[in-house]
């Protein structure tokens, strides 16, 4: 039978492109009706900018230039020498200087607010991912340990954390727990994200561990492995392969939810966006840029997860 036009991949790609082009045109027309002035030219300076680094005169005195050296001979006979290689001179040899006059300067490229905020977001996300995984693994093992007390502790933790919003937990942790233990706001944000996502990861790992065939447990026992060895060498590697897609999904959600730490004055990507909007009154360009940066981070993580999944299917492990 002839393949349906709607099932053809090339046709599907063309139709999808036409759809998004049409959507973009519609949004552009809608934005043009609100008389908004686009200022995309101001965005690059919030990624990187040139900062002027001057060399100033420490006193009133005479300037002497000798090769790559600028020598200031003060009226009190003190002598100051500066390396001016790579600097642009503002005065000539023999000129008289007053204190704080700019002798020379150079322009240095500095990371702007977007890059600094992006770095904070990456740092918070990576640290939170590691701690959340450790918490999740511990809670999952507690719930599968067969010891009622540990199972109850883990069950209550999962129920409470999953049953309350992350934003509320962030406030509780910042204003109560962090105040009691004198934690910096950075670590208050990290621990809030870690504890919240640790509960979800615990359930993912618990389900994956339970999905491992019971014959694997029996085979490990017959080889003389103790409980720890069985879990570490036999069960966990198989469970992680099963859990990887769900884990990547949770980690992507963690990156997106890290934007909530901006409410406790952590200067992450979202807080930087708010500050830029307050200074420039350009919300469209700023928030579209912030969204693109978050999309970049989540896409990279999704790509890595996809590659790991393919690698495990081929090689049977990490």
């Amino acid at each position: 039978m002839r393949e349906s036009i709607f099932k053809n991949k090339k046709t599907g790609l063309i139709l999808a492109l036409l759809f998004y082009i049409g959507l973009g045109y519609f949004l552009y027309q809608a934005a043009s009706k609100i008389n908004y002035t686009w200022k995309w030219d101001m965005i690059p300076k919030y990624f990187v900018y040139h900062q002027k680094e001057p060399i100033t005169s420490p006193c009133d005195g005479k300037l002497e230039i000798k090769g790559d050296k600028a020598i200031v001979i003060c009226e009190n006979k003190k002598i100051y020498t500066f390396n001016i290689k790579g600097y642009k001179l503002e005065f000539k040899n023999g000129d008289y200087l007053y204190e704080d006059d700019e002798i020379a300067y150079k322009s240095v490229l500095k990371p702007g607010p977007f890059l600094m905020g992006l770095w904070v977001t990456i740092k918070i996300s990576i640290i939170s991912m590691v701690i959340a995984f450790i918490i999740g693994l511990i809670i999952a093992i507690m719930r599968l340990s067969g010891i009622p007390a540990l199972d109850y502790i883990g069950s209550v933790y999962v129920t409470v954390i999953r049953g309350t919003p992350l934003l509320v937990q962030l406030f509780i942790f910042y204003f109560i727990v962090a105040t009691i233990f004198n934690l910096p706001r950075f670590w208050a944000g990290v621990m809030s994200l870690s504890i919240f996502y640790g509960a979800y990861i615990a359930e993912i790992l618990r389900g994956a561990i339970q999905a491992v065939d019971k014959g694997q447990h029996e085979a490990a026992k017959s080889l003389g492995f103790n409980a720890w060895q069985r879990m570490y060498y036999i069960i966990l590697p198989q469970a992680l392969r099963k859990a990887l897609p769900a884990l990547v999904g949770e980690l992507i959600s963690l990156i997106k939810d890290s934007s909530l730490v901006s409410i406790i004055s952590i200067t992450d990507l979202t807080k930087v966006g708010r500050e830029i909007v307050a200074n420039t009154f350009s919300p469209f360009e700023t928030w579209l840029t912030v969204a693109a940066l978050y999309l970049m981070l989540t896409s990279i993580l999704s790509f890595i997860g996809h590659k790991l999944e393919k690698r495990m299917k081929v090689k049977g492990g990490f």
Side-chain angles (χ1 to χ4, degrees):
M1 289 181 65
R2 188 175 179 180
E3 186 180 19
S4 170
I5 188 172
F6 293 106
K7 291 185 178 180
N8 184 277
K9 287 187 176 181
K10 289 184 179 179
T11 304
L13 178 60
I14 293 170
L15 290 174
L17 286 173
L18 290 174
F19 170 78
Y20 283 111
I21 290 171
L23 180 62
Y25 179 75
F26 170 77
L27 293 174
Y28 174 78
Q29 290 296 321
S32 63
K33 290 180 180 178
I34 63 174
N35 197 28
Y36 183 80
T37 303
W38 294 88
K39 293 181 286 188
W40 285 107
D41 57 311
M42 65 92 183
I43 292 295
K45 69 180 180 181
Y46 289 104
F47 280 95
V48 290
Y49 66 95
H50 288 277
Q51 179 176 302
K52 191 177 183 182
E53 289 192 354
I55 295 175
T56 56
S57 175
C59 60
D60 295 351
K62 184 181 178 183
L63 174 67
E64 289 186 3
I65 305 298
K66 293 183 178 179
D68 291 334
K69 304 292 182 182
I71 302 168
V72 178
I73 303 172
C74 302
E75 290 186 344
N76 59 8
K77 305 305 180 183
K78 283 188 177 181
I79 298 175
Y80 296 90
T81 303
F82 302 95
N83 186 347
I84 56 172
K85 187 176 182 180
Y87 284 78
K88 183 177 180 181
L89 284 168
E90 297 276 52
F91 289 86
K92 296 181 292 184
N93 185 35
D95 283 350
Y96 188 84
L97 301 173
Y98 293 97
E99 187 175 355
D100 294 328
D101 275 350
E102 190 175 286
I103 302 169
Y105 72 91
K106 68 177 179 180
S107 184
V108 180
L109 203 62
K110 295 282 187 178
F114 274 136
L115 289 185
M116 298 301 291
L118 182 64
W119 167 241
V120 172
T121 293
I122 292 172
K123 189 162 60 170
I124 287 175
S125 299
I126 291 175
I127 297 173
S128 299
M129 285 177 192
V130 173
I131 298 175
F133 182 81
I134 294 170
I135 291 173
L137 182 59
I138 292 171
I139 297 299
I141 293 173
M142 286 171 63
R143 296 200 64 189
L144 295 170
S145 65
I147 302 172
L150 295 179
D151 185 17
Y152 292 147
I153 291 170
S155 297
V156 170
Y157 164 77
V158 170
T159 301
V160 171
I161 296 301
R162 294 177 70 184
T164 52
L166 174 57
L167 184 60
V168 174
Q169 293 177 31
L170 187 60
F171 281 135
I172 291 172
F173 202 95
Y174 179 65
F175 289 109
I176 300 175
V177 179
T179 301
I180 293 171
F181 294 100
N182 196 28
L183 285 177
R185 60 170 56 94
F186 176 86
W187 285 104
V190 165
M191 291 310 300
S192 297
L193 288 168
S194 301
I195 291 170
F196 183 80
Y197 278 95
Y200 288 88
I201 291 173
E203 289 300 279
I204 291 171
L205 291 177
R206 183 173 71 92
I209 290 170
Q210 287 178 323
V212 175
D213 189 85
K214 290 183 179 180
Q216 299 292 320
H217 294 266
E218 299 301 324
K221 280 183 181 179
S222 67
L223 290 172
F225 287 4
N226 59 35
W228 165 252
Q229 290 172 326
R230 289 198 303 272
M231 182 61 67
Y232 184 78
Y233 292 108
I234 307 298
I235 308 304
L236 268 184
Q238 296 181 66
L240 287 175
R241 285 200 294 274
K242 296 176 184 292
L244 184 61
L247 286 174
V248 171
E250 288 301 320
L251 297 180
I252 287 173
S253 295
L254 188 153
I255 291 175
K256 294 184 291 184
D257 283 345
S258 70
S259 61
L260 290 175
V261 302
S262 63
I263 64 174
I264 58 173
S265 298
I266 295 177
T267 310
D268 71 327
L269 194 52
T270 300
K271 188 171 186 296
V272 165
R274 285 161 48 194
E275 291 172 351
I276 292 174
V277 169
N279 290 330
T280 63
F281 301 102
S282 302
F284 287 9
E285 303 91 324
T286 302
W287 290 121
L288 286 172
T289 303
V290 169
L293 291 171
Y294 275 112
L295 179 61
M296 178 191 71
L297 291 180
T298 56
S299 298
I300 290 171
L301 183 58
S302 180
F303 176 78
I304 293 171
H306 180 67
K307 288 293 184 183
L308 281 175
E309 194 174 351
K310 286 180 65 177
R311 181 179 176 182
M312 285 192 295
K313 283 181 180 178
V314 173
K315 296 186 176 181
F318 288 99

